[in-house]
Amino acid sequence: MTRRLSRFVLVALTLALTACTQPQPRWNVLLVTFDTTRADHIGCYGRESARTPTLDQIAAEGVRFDQAMSAVPVTFPSHSTIHTGLYPPNHGVRDNGLFNLPPEVVTLAEIMRDAGYRTGAAVGAFPLAQQFGINQGFEIYDDKFLPGPGDEIEPGHSLFFEERKADQVNAALFPWLEEVKDEPFFAWLHYFDPHQPLDPPSPYDQIFRHNPYDGEIAFADQSLGSVRRQLEEWGVWDRTLVVVVGDHGEGLGEHGEDTHSMLVYNSTLRVPFLMRLPDGFDAPTGRVVTQRVGTVDVTPTIVDIVGVAPGVDFQGRSLVDAIRDDDASDARGLYYAETLAPRLSQGFGELRAIFEGPNKYIHGPRPELYDLAVDPKELDDLVDTRVELATEQESDLQTLVERLAQNAAANAAQAADDETRRKLEALGYISAGGADPSSIVETLSREGVAPQDRVRDNSLMSLTKQRLQENDPLAARDLARQLIERAPDNLYYTSLLALALIGLGDIDEAAAVAEEHMGLATVNEGAFLEVVRLLFFDDPDRAMTLLESELAERETARGRYLLGEMFQELGRPDNALVELERAVELDSDLTMARLSAAILRSQNDPNDPEIENHYQHLLDLNPINSRYH
């Protein structure tokens, strides 16, 4: 062998050995949650009319879980389960807005951060705002869907949670992703689009004009496709574990439920769950896992695939064996689901369910039992014909609840701040009859009204708000009157009627409704103030009497502000300034009240030192507002 050849062999051998000893780049993790998304409305799950090429391609390249179940059909508690591998009785989050994820609960982001990953997230709607603690472990957590200081929401127009579209969620996280693309990262994107109100962007508003729900899913899928193309351009897609999962489904009329949260049928529990495994992970492509899995399994599976030591115990399980061989694991046993939202928001009963083999037992004021093997739509209730099995299932569920609640996190229930409570009330999300969140007991209960018997109320309410959002006040008025017939004492339903009457231009009747139902502002201040504001132009005395009567019962900053503005219109600046300053006392960041107060003071005395204080506070809130400058 020549010296040159010998040297070539030596160099080649050295390079080969070096390559064998150098650690491979760590896999990235991209978690994408599709809010309010049913599995059976996606192409790879059998929906022929769906336009979901990105999701379908991920399924073809990776693994699709055919029977994935959410633990709870409510956004925040469901995401808390996804991010912790724990069920609600353990992590403690049971509804939107009324709970915080306790800091002692360990999240996937914290696990990944402690393992040396960069962590970033962008979410699409208010239930996942960082004020509720779901941001634990993220170095960047973008929730800019919330109005910023100086961005006031017009009264009466907040019928749904603040949200932003999937493409805006992408745009919020892309700069951070570009910054960290050469490091191991864990990124979470939350798409809220399929949630009401259903308003898909073009061209999906036309393609799916008779089915806007599928149009919203199609747009979210398109947005995920943009993420894929960007990661491919950066050269990191192939070494990224991609996990796509729904937080819960949508009733779409099944069992009388148009939306979600009230019931625990599979229409709102079965979700899409797809994974694209990174290059180098030993598993077949195009795998379909038919055994039952849950959203509680997401975090345990992710940490197992990327080889990160979690340092905590999960209540879910790793699905790696099932990914490699659907028959490798016989862990098809117990899965748990619940909704306490009917009790917490409306004062009805609560529902808890257990999946055990082919059986599903739902416990509540009116228990139900189904054999999913022959009745996947849950139409044939067997609770009265298979009494012994129902009794066994009830006992198993109670045992499971007690086990899941062991070592549960404390202090998840919180007293919602005034702004959050006002927001939830204005959305119809909570009512005066709702239960105290701190009163939850981890035991089976048959107390209260069966949510199955009152679910139609919730569906009608959602439809009424959708019609108002679509500027169809005539339909909204008729729906609101149906709601009031069902629950005459529900002031929120009355507020929806008032908004519909405003839309029809019948201000006099809207005012009569408000006058007849004192306390309307306590459940939907925006709707009430809109009635007063419009009434003022025709009958100022009547409008001011109505507003002052409500303020005597419940004083609010926005109410005082409107009264101050009306005094200005009547040429009574001294009275106006008193009301505006009182509004600022009640809410120091109510920018429209501060601005009006500063202008009034400058008209009276340009040297008034309070003028500068007001403007400085406004500029602290919004430094780029030219009017404040």
Side-chain angles (χ1 to χ4, degrees), residues 336-594:
Y336 171 81
E338 68 171 38
T339 181
L340 275 57
R343 178 183 167 211
L344 293 167
S345 62
Q346 305 293 333
F348 303 151
E350 61 186 47
L351 299 176
R352 301 180 189 243
I354 183 173
F355 294 86
E356 188 169 11
N359 303 313
K360 179 181 178 183
Y361 172 74
I362 302 172
H363 188 87
R366 196 179 75 230
E368 299 175 355
L369 175 67
Y370 297 98
D371 182 347
L372 298 178
V374 298
D375 181 26
K377 291 289 187 180
E378 299 162 284
L379 300 175
D380 184 14
D381 181 10
L382 305 174
V383 76
D384 292 329
T385 58
R386 301 186 65 181
V387 177
E388 183 177 349
L389 177 59
T391 302
E392 291 176 0
Q393 293 280 283
E394 180 180 355
S395 176
D396 290 347
L397 176 57
Q398 178 61 52
T399 301
L400 179 60
V401 169
E402 292 173 358
R403 177 168 64 82
L404 296 178
Q406 289 177 0
N407 303 313
N411 304 319
Q414 63 160 340
D417 60 73
D418 290 342
E419 182 66 17
T420 300
R421 177 164 284 277
R422 183 187 69 81
K423 189 189 305 289
L424 294 174
E425 289 172 342
L427 298 172
Y429 204 88
I430 58 175
S431 70
D436 183 348
S438 64
S439 68
I440 295 170
V441 178
E442 303 305 342
T443 188
L444 301 187
S445 171
R446 297 196 183 194
E447 295 180 358
V449 176
Q452 301 96 314
D453 295 338
R454 296 300 297 271
V455 67
R456 185 59 185 157
D457 295 23
N458 196 57
S459 296
L460 279 173
M461 180 183 72
S462 296
L463 186 58
T464 304
K465 294 197 298 180
Q466 181 77 26
R467 293 295 175 262
L468 286 169
Q469 188 81 9
E470 295 168 348
N471 196 27
D472 187 355
L474 184 61
R477 182 199 64 185
D478 294 343
L479 290 166
R481 285 175 172 167
Q482 291 182 48
L483 282 168
I484 292 169
E485 287 179 9
R486 297 172 69 90
D489 297 328
N490 189 306
L491 288 177
Y492 185 73
Y493 298 165
T494 303
S495 76
L496 295 179
L497 174 60
L499 284 174
L501 293 170
I502 289 172
L504 290 169
D506 197 341
I507 309 304
D508 183 70
E509 187 176 350
V513 167
E515 289 166 336
E516 182 181 353
H517 297 87
M518 294 304 295
L520 196 66
T522 63
V523 298
N524 194 340
E525 186 182 27
F528 172 78
L529 294 180
E530 188 82 339
V531 171
V532 172
R533 185 181 69 83
L534 294 172
L535 178 64
F536 177 79
F537 295 109
D538 291 329
D539 194 338
D541 290 340
R542 185 182 177 193
M544 296 185 75
T545 298
L546 179 57
L547 179 56
E548 287 173 330
S549 297
E550 286 284 354
L551 289 173
E553 295 295 321
R554 184 192 186 216
E555 187 180 27
T556 66
R558 286 174 173 78
R560 288 293 175 193
Y561 163 72
L562 180 57
L563 187 57
E565 292 295 298
M566 292 194 300
F567 273 127
Q568 285 199 72
E569 289 290 329
L570 294 174
R572 297 166 60 180
D574 292 342
N575 297 91
L577 186 58
V578 169
E579 298 300 331
L580 293 170
E581 295 286 7
R582 179 56 183 157
V584 172
E585 287 179 21
L586 293 170
D587 183 354
S588 63
D589 294 342
L590 188 62
T591 56
M592 49 193 180
R594 272 197 184 274

Side-chain angles (χ1 to χ4, degrees), residues 258-327:
D258 288 346
T259 56
H260 56 273
S261 82
M262 289 286 284
L263 306 177
V264 287
Y265 298 111
N266 287 0
S267 51
T268 60
L269 292 183
R270 185 182 175 220
V271 294
F273 184 9
L274 310 168
M275 301 181 74
R276 187 192 185 278
L277 301 159
D279 285 3
F281 185 82
D282 180 24
T285 59
R287 166 77 70 191
V288 178
V289 175
T290 59
Q291 60 180 269
R292 184 181 298 125
V293 302
T295 55
V296 71
D297 301 324
V298 171
T299 284
T301 304
I302 289 174
V303 298
D304 191 11
I305 289 174
V306 298
V308 170
V312 293
D313 294 328
F314 300 122
Q315 293 179 330
R317 61 185 173 112
S318 170
L319 301 175
V320 168
D321 288 343
I323 290 170
R324 289 176 168 149
D325 182 355
D326 193 22
D327 297 322

Side-chain angles (χ1 to χ4, degrees), residues 101-113:
L101 184 63
E104 64 266 27
V105 174
V106 177
T107 65
L108 176 58
E110 290 176 303
I111 294 170
M112 301 299 282
R113 178 201 62 193

